[in-house]
Amino acid sequence: QVQLVESGGGLVQAGGSLRLSCAASGSTFRFSLNAMGWYRQAPGKLRELVATISSSGRTFYTGSVKGRFTISRDNAKNTGFLQMNSLRPEDTAVYYCNTDPVWTAWGQGTQVTVSS
């Protein structure tokens, strides 16, 4: 069983920055061998993919965050990160991490609120 715990969210003004963390644990979970992703769900909308990072470090970003967000990972600490710069009100959502593709339970997420 895999446990994912997101943290680092908060309230920030437009143009500000936040760094999200995702701590992964599980007795049989090999973090370093799994591609990981960050996802978000805004009120009234479906959950969407934001960014992914492969086990080898190759990254992908959805168009709206490209150039503003940076995904990274620390395999030694079983932790993933999402650095978010130049935040916009439309980035307001609950942010989740999970494997890519998703095959384990979702964590509680972390709320990001960007004020205009």
Side-chain angles (χ1 to χ4, degrees):
Q1 192 169 357
V2 181
Q3 184 176 21
L4 301 168
V5 180
E6 302 91 346
S7 62
L11 173 63
V12 63
Q13 289 188 330
S17 299
L18 286 172
R19 189 189 194 211
L20 307 184
S21 297
C22 168
S25 62
S27 59
T28 60
F29 182 59
R30 300 287 297 277
F31 180 83
S32 62
L33 300 182
N34 281 270
M36 300 297 296
W38 283 95
Y39 307 78
R40 67 186 180 186
Q41 187 167 20
K45 295 188 176 181
L46 296 175
R47 192 169 300 177
E48 64 173 350
L49 175 67
V50 174
T52 63
I53 184 167
S54 72
S55 57
S56 62
R58 185 173 64 249
T59 59
F60 164 84
Y61 300 92
T62 194
S64 62
V65 309
K66 199 172 294 184
R68 300 188 298 122
F69 291 9
T70 302
I71 189 171
S72 61
R73 63 192 299 161
D74 184 340
N75 289 336
K77 297 182 178 180
N78 287 359
T79 302
F81 303 97
L82 185 68
Q83 177 67 43
M84 305 187 297
N85 299 329
S86 302
L87 283 162
R88 304 168 180 170
E90 54 263 40
D91 295 318
T92 295
V94 179
Y95 284 71
Y96 303 86
C97 65
N98 210 314
T99 53
D100 173 47
V102 174
W103 60 263
T104 190
W106 295 96
Q108 82 288 350
T110 186
Q111 176 71 48
V112 172
T113 303
V114 185
S115 63
S116 56

